[in-house]
């Protein structure tokens, strides 16, 4: 039996907005993803963005085999309490003998908590598919990327990226948008693996986010109008759910990296193997 703590990165208001958009929260999505990969996993979820949230401390943290940090709509360089509480909680995690995995926001929280810096990407937002992510020399040898291609695409949505690395960091992959698409941070006895993209997101989930952020998609030039956003979301859903849609797959250049769950979830699966081997 593997015990995992899921750390939901979004605020209560953001989680409610996701529900009204027809989606599950990122914590709920991770729970479903983990159960699909390992049926005997037990998950607890905490909400450090929420005022008054009860969080595990000290040896309670070490009672978990691993900790997973979700994405979030927040920006780490802002100083609101919903953010600073998460940075403080990540520091508490780094102070214990724990293994942590983070997607997108989770990576950014870890970098800042460990002494690095995250800023808005001057190249703009990476949304939909992060293209041509390349493993570094270290990444090719790292267990995060076992059975992963040396170059791949991944589902992504982020405006911010890492600009300064904390001590104890190894860059594992990058692309033209962000030189850090994955990294490892070692602090004390804690080991953090993080990715800037979202292996837990399938095309259905990113399509829901297209619809949720229609205004942003138009204002930032990804689509000319609401109809185009809706069509993009519809295409991604069709590629995910309708057999034989080679036309859509070719039009949007959707590779097996994002279409095949085994490929898409490889990093999370590898981290779970790492956690289970350490617990054995």
């Amino acid at each position: 039996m593997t015990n995992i703590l899921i750390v939901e990165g979004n605020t209560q208001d953001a989680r409610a907005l996701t529900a009204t958009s027809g989606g599950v929260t990122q914590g709920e999505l991770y729970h479903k993803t983990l159960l699909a990969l390992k049926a005997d996993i037990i998950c607890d979820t905490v909400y450090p963005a929420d005022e008054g949230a009860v969080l595990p401390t000290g040896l309670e943290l070490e009672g978990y085999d691993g900790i997973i940090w979700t994405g979030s709509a927040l920006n780490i360089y802002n100083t609101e309490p919903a953010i600073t509480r998460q940075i403080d909680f990540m520091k508490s995690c780094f102070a214990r003998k724990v293994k942590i995995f983070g997607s997108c926001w989770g990576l950014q929280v870890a970098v800042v908590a460990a002494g690095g810096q995250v800023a808005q990407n001057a190249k703009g937002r990476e949304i939909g598919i992060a293209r041509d992510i390349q493993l570094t020399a270290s990444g090719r040898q790292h267990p995060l990327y076992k059975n992963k291609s040396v170059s791949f695409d991944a589902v992504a949505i982020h405006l911010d990226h890492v600009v300064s690395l904390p001590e104890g960091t190894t860059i594992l992959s990058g692309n033209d948008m962000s030189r850090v698409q994955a990294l490892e941070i070692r602090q004390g006895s804690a080991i953090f693996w993080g990715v800037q993209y979202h292996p837990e997101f399938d095309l259905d989930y990113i399509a829901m986010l297209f619809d949720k952020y229609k205004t942003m998609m138009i204002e930032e030039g990804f689509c000319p109008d609401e109809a185009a956003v809706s069509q993009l979301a519809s295409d991604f859903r069709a590629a995910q759910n309708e057999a034989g849609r080679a036309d859509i797959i070719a039009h949007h250049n959707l590779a097996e990296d994002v279409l095949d769950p085994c490929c898409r979830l490889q990093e999370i699966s590898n981290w779970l193997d790492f956690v289970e081997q350490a617990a054995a």
Side-chain angles (χ1 to χ4, degrees):
M1 202 74 72
T2 305
N3 293 291
I4 301 294
L5 179 67
I6 298 171
V7 183
E8 166 66 62
N10 279 300
T11 63
Q12 187 173 20
D13 287 346
R15 300 194 302 271
L17 180 59
T18 296
T20 61
S21 301
V24 298
T25 67
Q26 295 200 32
E28 291 167 339
L29 178 63
Y30 247 120
H31 193 174
K32 291 181 178 181
T33 299
L34 294 173
L35 287 174
L37 290 170
K38 304 281 184 180
D40 63 345
I41 277 181
I42 296 175
C43 296
D44 295 329
T45 303
V46 293
Y47 305 90
D50 297 355
E51 185 176 1
V54 177
L55 304 173
T57 60
L59 292 176
E60 290 179 287
L61 287 170
E62 293 187 8
Y64 290 99
D65 297 306
I67 300 171
I68 280 189
W69 215 289
T70 76
S72 176
L74 296 167
N75 300 101
I76 195 72
Y77 38 76
N78 294 331
T79 56
E80 60 192 271
I83 294 169
T84 56
R85 281 193 293 266
Q86 295 196 58
I87 295 171
D88 289 343
F89 185 49
M90 182 68 84
K91 289 179 179 178
S92 296
C93 294
F94 274 138
R96 311 306 302 186
K97 186 178 181 180
V98 293
K99 293 170 178 60
I100 315 165
F101 184 90
S103 294
C104 196
W105 168 255
L107 177 148
Q108 295 170 11
V109 175
V111 165
V112 172
Q117 186 179 5
V118 171
Q120 190 175 115
N121 192 338
K123 296 179 181 179
R125 193 181 305 271
E126 190 169 39
I127 184 169
I129 308 297
R131 302 290 183 181
D132 196 26
I133 297 172
Q134 300 280 338
L135 302 191
T136 64
S138 296
R140 294 182 188 192
Q141 304 299 320
H142 197 279
L144 173 68
Y145 283 129
K146 181 182 178 182
N147 297 325
K148 195 80 174 181
S149 299
V150 297
S151 175
F152 61 94
D153 294 344
V155 180
I157 175 170
H158 66 105
L159 177 61
D160 305 327
H161 70 155
V162 176
V163 295
S164 175
L165 297 171
E167 291 185 12
T169 297
T170 303
I171 299 176
L172 303 177
S173 69
N175 70 352
D176 287 343
M177 282 294 291
S178 297
R179 78 181 184 101
V180 179
Q181 286 286 355
L183 53 67
E184 176 186 86
I185 301 173
R186 288 180 177 256
Q187 290 228 334
S189 299
I191 301 174
F192 175 88
W193 295 359
V195 295
Q196 185 57 78
Y197 48 94
H198 284 278
E200 75 279 15
F201 285 8
D202 60 12
L203 297 185
D204 269 333
Y205 201 86
I206 196 66
M208 181 273 294
L209 294 179
F210 291 158
D211 285 333
K212 179 180 177 181
Y213 296 122
K214 274 184 180 178
T215 300
M216 175 273 289
M217 296 279 288
I218 296 166
E219 289 178 348
E220 296 186 12
F222 294 104
C223 293
D225 51 38
E226 287 195 7
V229 178
S230 296
Q231 184 62 58
L232 178 62
S234 177
D235 283 356
F236 271 49
R237 291 188 180 100
Q240 176 84 34
N241 299 306
E242 297 177 17
R245 294 311 305 266
D247 55 332
I248 290 176
I249 291 170
H251 178 69
H252 294 288
N253 191 22
L254 300 173
E256 287 300 300
D257 305 328
V258 297
L259 291 168
D260 181 351
C262 291
C263 295
R264 176 173 55 82
L265 296 171
Q266 188 67 62
E267 294 90 326
I268 301 173
S269 180
N270 287 340
W271 179 77
L272 286 174
D273 288 344
F274 172 61
V275 165
E276 290 184 342
Q277 289 165 10

